[in-house]
Amino acid sequence: MTFQIGLLHELRRQLDVCRACHYCDGYCDVFPALQDLPTASNGDIVQLANLCHNCRGCFYSCQYASPHVFAVNLPAILAEARTDSWNELVWPAGSVRLFQMRGSAVALVLAGSVAMILVLIRAFVPSGGEGVYRFMSHALMVAIFAPAFLGPLMVVLLATRRYFRAVGADTMRVRHFAVALLWAARLDNLSGGQGQGCNFEDAGRFSGRRRFLHQMAVSGFALCFCATVAGTILHYGFGQTAPYGPTSLPKLLGITGGVLLSIGAGGLAQLKHHGDRRLGDARVWNGEMAFVLLLFLIAASGLALWGGAATVLAVWLLTLHLGAVLTFFVLMAYSKMIHGAFRFAALAVDAQRRSASA
């Protein structure tokens, strides 16, 4: 893993100040991990950058932040290193930066996906089917979305493997991933260390809102995925074809997940809009905001499709929803979504190193 010389020099300078200070050791996992490092190699910087959840509490508490001559801004410098690590470790190298730095690129892919779905709906009108399947058959949906999901998923898995190699984590065990899963579910690194929350939206006020919205968005996304899995099992395992009734498992999971995801993603977009851009990687603000809004669009259009499936708007709602989902799949490895895989990997590596030093 390589960084620009200027960025690497500034990173190590700020990390040296933090290593000597110790004030923020209880804020999150970054600072205890930093204290365990005699020096910060490039791989160590990748690990610290992805372990950081950008809660920003350390900046607002730092006595060496600007206007002090040391001008420490660890959330911003780690955010830049985090973006660069995604950009180098995801294949093909450089592709992440295109979509991270340009929200317009995400919008362009969305527009193309919506247009493609509309063309397919008009070209391959099924002879039968109920609900939304009267516009597009189940077989055609599978033919489009299975490769669109599996291909980018493989890119994510390969990038995660490269991450472990970059940080020198060669002896990962199942127990390390189990611990990381627990930490990720609780979002301990957005708790402020004492459970009071972080300062993301307001320098003078601790709040658990960002942590809560993250959990809502992740839970909603997971429930939507489980709804798809449940529908697949019913279709291929039990011969029960869609559309499913309002009390069926796929429908209950999907509606609940859609509500949680829409609230979580919408709330995170609002926080991001009001947050201080100087405390993140300002280069990628537009791309990250576009990704959060894409998640909101997926959830909102899905709920609208559920409510309007029997109306004249159904075909347009279906086109919008499927176009948004296809965009998400295609950009899974190249949008902010990659942070989930890398952050989970960072937590697993941290669990491994803690167990080794215990």
Side-chain angles (χ1 to χ4, degrees), residues 60 198-207:
Y60 291 120
C198 59
N199 309 91
F200 186 88
E201 61 266 40
D202 188 343
R205 180 173 65 90
F206 288 99
S207 169

Side-chain angles (χ1 to χ4, degrees), residues 269-299:
Q270 182 187 37
L271 286 183
K272 192 167 188 64
H273 176 70
H274 292 292
D276 191 341
R277 300 188 191 185
R278 298 171 301 171
L279 304 185
D281 187 351
R283 301 172 300 173
V284 301
W285 190 91
N286 287 329
E288 291 184 348
M289 177 62 85
F291 169 75
V292 177
L293 293 176
L294 176 62
L295 287 178
F296 176 79
L297 178 61
I298 290 172

Side-chain angles (χ1 to χ4, degrees), residues 24-29 55 57 187-198 206 211:
C24 297
D25 283 4
Y27 274 48
C28 71
D29 292 336
C55 77
L187 282 175
D188 292 343
N189 283 283
L190 288 180
S191 69
Q194 305 297 323
Q196 76 271 24
C198 59
F206 288 99
R211 184 186 187 189

Side-chain angles (χ1 to χ4, degrees), residues 19 26 36 55 93 101 107 120 126 144 159 176 189 191 201 207 224-225 261 267 272-273 294 296 312-313 325 350 358:
R19 186 186 286 109
D36 291 336
C55 77
M101 292 188 177
L120 289 172
I144 297 170
H176 302 142
N189 283 283
S191 69
E201 61 266 40
S207 169
C224 290
F225 180 77
L261 181 57
K272 192 167 188 64
H273 176 70
L294 176 62
F296 176 79
V312 294
L313 296 176
V325 173
D350 194 49

Side-chain angles (χ1 to χ4, degrees), residues 184-185 187 213-224 260-261 264 268:
L187 282 175
L213 289 171
H214 261 100
Q215 289 174 324
M216 288 190 73
V218 173
S219 299
F221 181 86
L223 288 174
C224 290
L260 290 176
L261 181 57
L268 288 172

